[in-house]
Amino acid sequence: MQQRLLIFLISCLGALLPTLAHAWWQDDWSYRKQITIDTSPQGAAIDQRVGRVPLLVRLHTGNFGFQDVQENGSDLRFVAADDQTVLNHQIESFDALLGVAYVWVDVPALEAGSSQDIWMYYGNPDAPATSNGQAVFDADYTLVYHFDQAPGAPARDATAYGNNSSNTVAQSVTGVIGQAAAFAGGEPLMVEAAPVLATPAAGQFSFSAWVRADQSANEQLIYARRDAGNSLLIGINAGQPFVEVNGQRTAPAQPLASGQWQHLAVTADGRQVALYVNGRQISSLPVALPPLATAIALGGDIPGYAPAEPVAEETASEGEDVATTTPAAVPSRYFNGALDEVRISKQARPASLLMADYQAQGSESRLVVFGVDEEQSGFGFGALGFLLSAVPIDAWVIIGILVIMMIQTWFVMYRKFRHSRRVDEANGRFRDEFAQVGTQLEKLADSPELERELEHSSLWRLYQVAVHELRLRRAQGADTSSISSETLEAIRASMDAVRTQQNRELSSRLGVLSNAIAGGPYIGLLGTVMGIMVVFLGTAMAGDVNINAVAPGMAAALLATAMGLFVAIPALFAYNRINGRNRDISSDMRVFLDEFVTRLAEIHGAGQRPPQPAQAGHAVRHGISQSPVV
């Protein structure tokens, strides 16, 4: 039985540890962080499949400690939930001193209405840099500007196509994601024509950007492309976003908030052109795109393009000539504000992807949820090792006491189960032998072989003391052929004394299990209370209350209570089982005592005829001599 109990406990540990510890990707990385991408209603609430997405991982001191990572983040690695598949990533910016980093991670498949985990590994001082934007953005992205270039440099394309701007970014400001390009009503940012940027007739197309409009009184262009009378324009008019294809413009929509960052996107699928703000479609045009293969202007209209200037006719007074005049100026269409994370694609990106971009890239993302940092334990326990490293010293003292109690209780459990099993098996063997003695009650007493076999039997000890009492009286000259009731009671008393001694031996050290059952949970609770007190005290002194700061200490403190229960629960089951077996053995001894005394009274009680001597031919088993028996 004890072997089965130990196997059960080991099986429980084997089932528990994998839930606390996921496999570690590579031993060279000391730390990792769980990142959950949540598209469920409790998260980003995306109800359509997104597919492959370049996901922004925004790190700051509130969700990440920069002290254990390389200064430039070269040791960052992103691994899928299987702890095997390495995901491509690009570091847009990483400042360990300020505690801010922006990293793009290529997530191969993002499903709707669910959550999936990825792991961010770090803490390897010898790891080389593997940041690669060309691998993060799929081949359908033809231009991606993070505006992370050096001051006064052209905008740098993060894709493999290298569609850098032909002129420099005049000014940079703080954007939604790192730096952004600022426009003050001057020259637009130009992108030279390239085959990969060409859009065929009725072709597919996507444009997205974070837009901050500082002035919205007049009409301003954010994106402009003109080719032989064809045009595609994206802009705002009196703050209202619009998209215009060959002079056809979307209906007026809700104005953009002045001075605030908002996500603007346009898609064309060959049947219609749709306009999105903050991931939601607000208007559309039932037209297809015309062929466009010329340069692109960002933040204004194409240089050199001038719309037909209207001619105003003035009626002269009577007797004067009629003259025509040109208006003094044409309203400017240059953008006044800032752009960040500009993307152009040769595919019509689905609405779910645009919503995912808005959710992940915004300052308060509900799509990306950060877990706690885990430290490699050195034993392959992962999260369990991190949990143990967060346990405070006072909780370790309590856990140490509980470990000592656990070792003591398991030792007692093993000893008691082994002892009760031996006694039970030996008692069964004795009962089989005693069932054959008939009226020769002393028949088994002189067999050395049987004595060795039954050394653990409590019934054998009762039998031995009864036989010893009979022979002692015979040796002292008493007539044992006719035993009085007083003698029977004396023999019963001797057997009762042995039975009491055997019961004490069976129940010895069970108090250790009782103490573990009653005291283990309370001792663990003491460690938890002390640990929580330390956590709240440290949080109050630091003045920073957030779940990432409190959760590790709380989890480590609760480990003391879990340890107390782990001590008490096995002890409880073992105590009940051992008590049950002891009661069975005690019942067997009581039954045997009554049976032996009754049979002794039947055979040798007062007034009974002495039994005839045993025939010589009836040899006693186990080599018993032919000496006279009572």
Side-chain angles (χ1 to χ4, degrees):
M1 176 65 191
Q2 66 270 23
Q3 290 90 343
R4 285 182 286 177
L5 177 63
L6 290 175
I7 293 173
F8 172 74
L9 293 175
I10 294 172
S11 301
C12 291
L13 285 174
L16 176 63
L17 288 178
T19 65
L20 297 176
H22 298 275
W24 206 263
W25 170 57
Q26 286 190 14
D27 294 339
D28 293 338
W29 274 259
S30 301
Y31 304 93
R32 70 178 181 180
K33 187 178 201 60
Q34 185 181 26
I35 300 175
T36 301
I37 310 170
D38 189 3
T39 59
S40 68
Q42 292 74 29
I46 299 176
D47 56 4
Q48 293 183 350
R49 186 178 186 273
V50 179
R52 183 178 177 183
V53 57
L55 184 75
L56 175 65
V57 175
R58 186 192 303 266
L59 302 176
H60 51 79
T61 54
N63 60 27
F64 182 65
F66 288 80
Q67 66 274 9
D68 297 313
V69 68
Q70 291 189 30
E71 292 184 356
N72 59 356
S74 297
D75 56 337
L76 290 183
R77 298 293 186 272
F78 294 86
V79 183
D82 60 4
D83 281 308
Q84 295 180 356
T85 306
V86 180
L87 307 178
N88 296 316
H89 73 281
Q90 179 197 17
I91 298 177
E92 178 177 335
S93 65
F94 194 96
D95 193 329
L97 182 61
L98 295 178
V100 177
Y102 302 98
V103 186
W104 299 96
V105 180
D106 181 18
V107 178
L110 186 58
E111 302 298 332
S114 62
S115 63
Q116 66 185 75
D117 294 332
I118 62 175
W119 294 96
M120 182 181 74
Y121 284 82
Y122 62 99
N124 182 358
D126 301 322
T130 58
S131 173
N132 185 2
Q134 297 181 7
V136 171
F137 296 92
D138 64 55
D140 288 332
Y141 283 104
T142 56
L143 181 149
V144 174
Y145 286 167
H146 299 315
F147 298 111
D148 57 343
Q149 70 285 333
R156 183 174 54 196
D157 183 13
T159 71
Y161 300 112
N163 289 312
N164 301 332
S165 65
S166 57
N167 55 343
T168 61
V169 177
Q171 184 180 359
S172 294
V173 295
T174 301
V176 177
I177 310 162
Q179 296 300 304
F183 298 85
E187 180 183 6
L189 196 64
M190 296 302 300
V191 182
E192 296 294 337
V196 73
L197 293 173
T199 303
Q204 296 192 13
F205 167 83
S206 294
F207 170 87
S208 65
W210 284 91
V211 178
R212 190 194 71 194
D214 295 336
Q215 295 180 7
S216 57
N218 55 350
E219 183 172 298
Q220 306 173 50
L221 292 182
I222 296 171
Y223 173 98
R225 196 171 196 184
R226 300 179 184 275
D227 187 359
N230 296 319
S231 64
L232 172 61
L233 307 176
I234 303 172
I236 56 175
N237 184 17
Q240 299 174 341
F242 69 85
V243 56
E244 180 181 307
V245 179
N246 288 350
Q248 298 185 58
R249 180 174 296 189
T250 53
Q254 180 72 26
L256 300 179
S258 180
Q260 297 183 14
W261 286 102
Q262 294 179 272
H263 191 261
L264 184 68
V266 173
T267 63
D269 60 5
R271 299 183 304 274
Q272 72 167 3
V273 177
L275 178 63
Y276 295 81
V277 173
N278 292 338
R280 302 187 183 280
Q281 182 176 332
I282 61 171
S283 61
S284 63
L285 278 177
V287 298
L289 288 184
L292 299 167
T294 53
I296 299 171
L298 299 175
D301 208 340
I302 301 295
Y305 172 78
E309 298 180 351
V311 178
E313 295 184 356
E314 295 183 356
T315 304
S317 60
E318 187 176 350
E320 292 183 349
D321 296 330
V322 177
T324 60
T325 60
T326 302
V330 176
S332 172
R333 307 184 84 185
Y334 294 126
F335 180 59
N336 197 314
L339 297 178
D340 195 5
E341 194 58 30
V342 173
R343 296 181 182 179
I344 298 177
S345 175
K346 58 183 179 181
Q347 291 292 328
R349 297 293 177 176
S352 57
L353 176 60
L354 300 178
M355 176 59 74
D357 287 342
Y358 165 69
Q359 291 275 5
Q361 298 169 21
S363 58
E364 297 182 0
S365 173
R366 298 180 61 186
L367 179 62
V368 182
V369 181
F370 293 91
V372 298
D373 296 79
E374 300 179 4
E375 182 177 1
Q376 187 177 190
S377 65
F379 297 97
F381 288 165
L384 180 59
F386 171 74
L387 183 64
L388 295 177
S389 66
V391 176
I393 185 64
D394 49 354
W396 271 122
V397 174
I398 300 298
I399 291 176
I401 295 173
L402 291 171
V403 169
I404 295 174
M405 291 181 62
M406 180 184 69
I407 294 173
Q408 188 179 24
T409 55
W410 285 28
F411 177 76
V412 171
M413 287 157 51
Y414 172 76
R415 292 291 300 272
K416 301 306 293 184
F417 273 119
R418 186 181 65 170
H419 177 68
S420 62
R421 178 181 59 83
R422 288 178 174 178
V423 170
D424 195 43
E425 291 177 353
N427 283 347
R429 175 86 170 88
F430 175 81
R431 283 192 295 269
D432 293 340
E433 293 293 335
F434 188 75
Q436 307 298 323
V437 299
T439 60
Q440 303 177 34
L441 296 181
E442 299 179 51
K443 179 180 179 180
L444 306 178
D446 299 321
S447 173
E449 179 184 350
L450 195 60
E451 184 174 3
R452 286 192 302 270
E453 291 180 10
L454 302 178
E455 65 173 314
H456 297 294
S457 172
S458 60
L459 302 184
W460 171 256
R461 289 184 173 86
L462 294 178
Y463 173 78
Q464 282 184 317
V465 71
V467 172
H468 174 74
E469 291 293 325
L470 281 174
R471 291 181 174 179
L472 181 62
R473 283 163 173 75
R474 185 183 305 122
Q476 293 176 351
D479 183 11
T480 58
S481 61
S482 179
I483 301 175
S484 66
S485 60
E486 289 80 4
T487 302
L488 289 176
E489 287 302 317
I491 295 175
R492 176 186 291 274
S494 298
M495 295 179 73
D496 266 332
V498 174
R499 185 169 72 92
T500 301
Q501 181 184 3
Q502 290 297 306
N503 284 333
R504 286 178 179 176
E505 184 177 348
L506 289 172
S507 61
S508 65
R509 306 202 70 181
L510 286 183
V512 174
L513 300 184
S514 299
N515 291 337
I517 296 169
Y522 286 103
I523 296 175
L525 182 60
L526 174 62
T528 295
V529 172
M530 295 175 63
I532 292 176
M533 288 171 59
V534 171
V535 169
F536 282 128
L537 179 61
T539 302
M541 294 176 64
D544 181 19
V545 180
N546 61 74
I547 189 64
N548 292 323
V550 175
M554 296 284 284
L558 291 171
L559 182 63
T561 296
M563 191 66 189
L565 294 174
F566 188 73
V567 171
I569 293 174
L572 174 64
F573 287 109
Y575 181 84
N576 291 334
R577 179 59 179 163
I578 293 171
N579 256 344
R581 298 183 73 167
N582 289 350
R583 285 194 299 269
D584 293 341
I585 294 173
S586 181
S587 298
D588 287 345
M589 289 190 293
R590 184 176 63 252
V591 170
F592 174 75
L593 189 153
D594 292 339
E595 179 186 358
F596 186 88
V597 172
T598 301
R599 292 175 67 175
L600 186 64
E602 177 189 6
I603 298 173
H604 301 291
Q608 296 294 328
R609 185 172 61 87
Q612 298 298 320
Q615 297 297 325
H618 293 179
V620 180
R621 291 188 304 119
H622 305 292
I624 300 177
S625 65
Q626 298 296 317
S627 59
V629 294
V630 178

